[in-house]
Amino acid sequence: MSLLIRAAAVTDLPELLAWNAAMAWETERKRLDPAVLERGIRGVFEQPRRGFYLVAEREGTAVGSLLVTYEWSDWRCGDFWWIQSVYVALAARRGGVFRALYAEVAQRAAAAGAAGLRLYVETANQHAQATYEGLGMQRCHYFMYEALLPSRT
């Protein structure tokens, strides 16, 4: 069964909401505020400079998605494309969905003249790390830190 990779549309919002919420729960045991999440997803569609979503379909049914955002690199005078919010429906896992989504991102990034692709992965998720390495990605030598600011909601 072949996969179709396409740009997401606002009509994909129900799946994107469900999958982002599921991913947050699966990876961090975090419950997202549905209203904030919806505004966040809509914000990508409303301001394309923020990035874009891709959706994978199999036989007309959406089975996975990811978000691409941009990070300017002054060192390389170009954008790194960050792959985020990756989710593949449980029944479609291990079926090449992420590989197809990744190939589409890589093709689009190369055509746009991007500096490279980046993503982050949980330190304990060995399966995902092996998948990314199998696609030719390399572990970086940086740790990620964050400081959450007071909510604006």
Side-chain angles (χ1 to χ4, degrees):
M1 291 181 266
S2 65
L3 286 165
L4 168 70
I5 307 300
R6 61 172 176 78
V10 175
T11 55
D12 294 304
L13 191 61
E15 288 88 0
L16 296 172
L17 282 165
W19 291 341
N20 271 276
M23 189 258 309
W25 180 252
E26 286 179 25
T27 59
E28 299 181 29
R29 292 292 185 244
K30 184 173 191 162
R31 299 257 187 232
L32 300 179
D33 179 324
V36 172
L37 178 57
E38 181 173 346
R39 286 196 314 271
I41 293 169
R42 284 185 184 277
V44 174
F45 292 109
E46 292 165 356
Q47 295 187 37
R49 68 176 172 77
R50 290 182 170 150
F52 62 91
Y53 286 95
L54 292 177
V55 171
E57 286 186 356
R58 181 170 280 141
E59 297 183 357
T61 301
V63 294
S65 66
L66 58 74
L67 167 66
V68 172
T69 60
Y70 311 109
E71 174 193 14
W72 178 254
S73 172
D74 54 352
W75 288 8
R76 294 181 179 86
C77 189
D79 286 311
F80 274 92
W81 286 25
W82 277 86
I83 298 171
Q84 301 186 62
S85 301
V86 174
Y87 193 80
V88 176
L90 291 173
R93 291 183 184 171
R94 307 297 303 153
V97 175
F98 177 74
R99 182 174 297 277
L101 286 163
Y102 179 86
E104 180 69 16
V105 171
Q107 183 275 323
R108 289 177 181 224
L117 303 176
R118 289 183 171 160
L119 55 75
Y120 50 87
V121 60
E122 286 188 312
T123 55
N125 192 339
Q126 300 297 319
H127 181 75
Q129 291 171 35
T131 296
Y132 304 145
E133 289 171 11
L135 290 168
M137 298 188 87
Q138 299 173 0
R139 183 187 310 244
C140 295
H141 56 274
Y142 293 102
F143 288 113
M144 186 174 128
Y145 287 78
E146 72 179 0
L148 299 178
L149 303 176
S151 176
R152 296 178 294 142
T153 61

